[in-house]
Amino acid sequence: MNKQIQVGILGFGTVGSGVIRILKDHNAKIRQVTGEEISVKKVLVRDIEKNRGKISEGIQLTTNEDEVLADPEIDVILEVMGSIDSAKMYITKALKAGKHVVTANKDLIALHGNELVALAKENQCDLYYEASVAGGIPILRTIVDSLASDNIQQVMGIVNGTTNFMLTKMTNEHQSYEEALKEAQELGFAESDPTNDVDGIDAARKMVILTRLAFGMNVELDQIETKGIRNLKSIDIETAKKLGYRIKLIGTAEENNGGVSVSVGPILVPEAHPLASVQNENNAVFVVGAAVGETMFYGPGAGELPTATSVVSDLITVAKNIRLGTTGNVFNSYQHETKLMTDEEILSKYYLSIEMNDRTGLFLELTKIFAASDVGFDKIIQEPIEGGMAKVVIITHLMNRKQEKEILAKLKKADDMNLLIHLKVMEG
Amino acid sequence: MNKQIQVGILGFGTVGSGVIRILKDHNAKIRQVTGEEISVKKVLVRDIEKNRGKISEGIQLTTNEDEVLADPEIDVILEVMGSIDSAKMYITKALKAGKHVVTANKDLIALHGNELVALAKENQCDLYYEASVAGGIPILRTIVDSLASDNIQQVMGIVNGTTNFMLTKMTNEHQSYEEALKEAQELGFAESDPTNDVDGIDAARKMVILTRLAFGMNVELDQIETKGIRNLKSIDIETAKKLGYRIKLIGTAEENNGGVSVSVGPILVPEAHPLASVQNENNAVFVVGAAVGETMFYGPGAGELPTATSVVSDLITVAKNIRLGTTGNVFNSYQHETKLMTDEEILSKYYLSIEMNDRTGLFLELTKIFAASDVGFDKIIQEPIEGGMAKVVIITHLMNRKQEKEILAKLKKADDMNLLIHLKVMEG
């Protein structure tokens, strides 16, 4: 007594064809798990003439979105085309037509997620987006279902595969930033304009989504302190390594006293920390809960089949809901008033690399700048460099953002001192 | 319009009090997520006089199980008392009385899970057991929900915290087996009779449950090749380290060609593999899916609050099902005919440590034993030891279990050769 569930897909790129492949290859298991026969009826494509081989057999292709969105036989729409504006328009149409939606579109969910979730609820439709963060890692469902009993305190994620690949190359193979970027581009991990990846924008969008689910709060992109890896030098990666750290681009969302703070940036991670050993293009999300303690979820952050796995798992959940008559319940029902932590509440240790004139007394001046803001040192390395200059690397004790801003302002004004880079340091 | 859900708990040990603590501390979030007020009405205890402090305020304690199991106001029973026979009897009673059940009892679920699942279905009740494997790591729900779209090929788990703690101490601090066991016992990680942990029995029970969920197959405990760490010597840990491996107690379940093979034993794990860096009493489950590729789920495998987190997450799922009217759907609907792999199909590389007389020609004899079974060497280390003896350590190429058995039988018969230990080696 299997019912037929008909699916329309928007987009026939890598994820779209991955979805079709998984639905074919794992058909027997999916039928048993859902109690339904799931079949792809139509796919919206850009170029209908393109030869797609056997994979498109039995599926109607169209370049007209309304043929998919307005087909009364289609129960579920999978949006895997990317872009923001047209995807939003199509999903809106689909939900208004009473169709359930699964999307892999992080940009869309980060920017318009709340609006679309409300629209889905209004129309008694499901809206899932597991694939939008960390590709094949089921981190959203884990936070929503399995950690529902816990109060989450911190989420730290390596959620951008491109930069993690580049940092791995820079760390293990001593490549420069430029070499690592070139290799990532050659392998198809980075786009020709790598801005979204290397400047941390992609990671920040994913942190918007993770913050919404983990803390029930809505943080805007411009409320996230976002730094990329563009200015990272091999020498800093080497120095960090000597001090027992690996540099990773980490998105951090933490809650304290009812307020939340979200940031993205390269961070010194102690080498024994589970996040330090996440290699290449893999992703990982480290979650600290008041009760559960430290957990980590690791896997492929992108790629045709991993991302498609998450899309199809969402589709299976929709199919089960259809069978049980329980569609239209929002994925995440945890909501909280959004409150940002103040500068005084946001604490971190820092790594600072300062180039300065090697003259007597200047190190004392440097020390005074930190002492004036009541910040102590955890580690100091001073090395002479050419031209009568010295390089001083400092790892500080914990300081708050107010102290950080004071110190940075003074370092900027100080003669004969040049702050090369400053990075957060994760506590061991 | 919150409904009240009343809970009865069997057992007021560490997990039981952890559950009560979480329900109190995280009350606001849980109420919002479930739309229900969840309260603990009664707890079955062994000693009613014991002073439990503030945590038991407002809760009725009883030593008579029927006062809990037959209370018509109680909707859900949480079984956190351990033991097999009485837990089974109580859960059976509860399900027959139409109460939903959450249990943390791996022994019970490994041995009688199918029977209890059938009984739950018959009575339209929920039966969940996330906490039974890997404590705070939501691995069961991840396999059942998030990897439902994938065909799982392999599950490898560090699912026993006690032995992982001991192996960490032996590896990092060069402790002997006896020293590590003593420290584990002092810290309360190991019982005075450590058999279940150190001989791999606890891990094997968890692999029964993981195999059921990942492959839909029922494997009996005596069909699992189970080895413990009792005979592991520091020297093997050192040698493995020199060769680039860490020794971990790993439960492995793998599928090939419709057949499954499950085993537990100490394995040489390449040091770059994510499982190699799982330290101390932590657990981790590494899952390989046909589509998703390699994923890993890491966290605390035991402990009051981590385990209680999983129990309460199950309870939240039950509460949602009650609200939606969808109880009685089995946790895992994936079923498959159980078929074991044959000896010819089970492949592994092996580490063998052999003590032998240092006389000319004996190494040739050793080589012939492997060549006769068509097994090649990946690495060989020969070192002279005292008394005219030599120690030969070999890492082989892949061989099947038939070849393994042939070689072991010949090594046993050979004069002047003494096989000290042989362990599986995970491929890099």
Side-chain angles (χ1 to χ4, degrees), chain A residues 148-149 151, chain B residues 2 20-34 36-39 316:
Chain A
S149 60
N151 281 343
Chain B
N2 280 346
I20 294 171
R21 179 128 54 110
I22 289 175
L23 285 173
K24 283 192 180 169
D25 291 355
H26 304 172
N27 179 273
K29 181 178 178 187
I30 293 171
R31 199 180 331 118
Q32 200 188 36
V33 168
T34 58
E36 318 270 356
E37 189 74 46
I38 297 177
S39 68
I316 286 175

Side-chain angles (χ1 to χ4, degrees), chain B residues 101-122:
Chain B
V101 173
V102 173
T103 173
N105 194 327
K106 67 176 172 302
D107 300 342
L108 180 67
I109 293 297
L111 294 173
H112 305 291
N114 287 330
E115 192 184 327
L116 293 172
V117 165
L119 186 65
K121 204 180 167 189
E122 208 180 296

Side-chain angles (χ1 to χ4, degrees), chain A residues 297-346:
Chain A
F297 307 92
Y298 162 96
E304 173 185 348
L305 290 174
T307 308
T309 302
S310 288
V311 171
V312 179
S313 291
D314 277 351
L315 174 60
I316 287 175
T317 306
V318 174
K320 285 182 183 172
N321 290 342
I322 291 177
R323 180 166 53 82
L324 297 172
T326 56
T327 57
N329 286 285
V330 291
F331 184 31
N332 168 43
S333 54
Y334 183 46
Q335 302 277 342
H336 220 276
E337 189 200 352
T338 303
K339 192 186 140 202
L340 295 180
M341 279 162 68
T342 63
D343 276 2
E344 282 86 351
E345 289 171 321
I346 303 173

Side-chain angles (χ1 to χ4, degrees), chain A residues 162-187:
Chain A
T162 307
T163 46
N164 200 55
F165 174 84
M166 290 172 62
L167 291 172
T168 302
K169 291 288 164 181
M170 290 170 78
T171 306
N172 297 354
E173 298 172 23
H174 313 286
Q175 290 188 3
S176 67
Y177 170 86
E178 290 73 19
E179 288 166 339
L181 177 59
K182 190 157 168 274
E183 187 169 343
Q185 284 169 327
E186 281 166 4
L187 290 168

Side-chain angles (χ1 to χ4, degrees), chain A residues 22 26 29 32-33 138 146 149-151 291-292 294-300 305 309 312-313 324 326 333-335, chain B residues 22 26 29 32-33 138 146 149-151 291-292 294-300 305 309 312-313 326 329 333-335:
Chain A
I22 289 176
H26 304 172
K29 182 179 177 187
Q32 199 188 37
V33 167
S146 300
S149 60
D150 206 354
N151 281 343
V292 76
E294 301 184 339
T295 58
M296 190 175 90
F297 307 92
Y298 162 96
L305 290 174
T309 302
V312 179
S313 291
L324 297 172
T326 56
S333 54
Y334 183 46
Q335 302 277 342
Chain B
I22 289 175
H26 304 172
K29 181 178 178 187
Q32 200 188 36
V33 168
S146 300
S149 60
D150 206 355
N151 281 343
V292 77
E294 302 185 340
T295 57
M296 190 175 89
F297 308 93
Y298 160 96
L305 290 175
T309 301
V312 179
S313 290
T326 55
N329 287 285
S333 54
Y334 183 46
Q335 302 278 342

Side-chain angles (χ1 to χ4, degrees), chain B residues 76-119:
Chain B
V76 189
I77 296 290
L78 311 182
E79 186 275 303
V80 290
M81 51 186 262
S83 96
I84 299 184
D85 292 342
S86 39
K88 189 187 171 197
M89 197 168 69
Y90 298 167
I91 289 178
T92 302
K93 266 194 195 179
L95 292 171
K96 283 187 175 165
K99 297 188 192 317
H100 310 290
V101 173
V102 173
T103 173
N105 194 327
K106 67 176 172 302
D107 300 342
L108 180 67
I109 293 297
L111 294 173
H112 305 291
N114 287 330
E115 192 184 327
L116 293 172
V117 165
L119 186 65

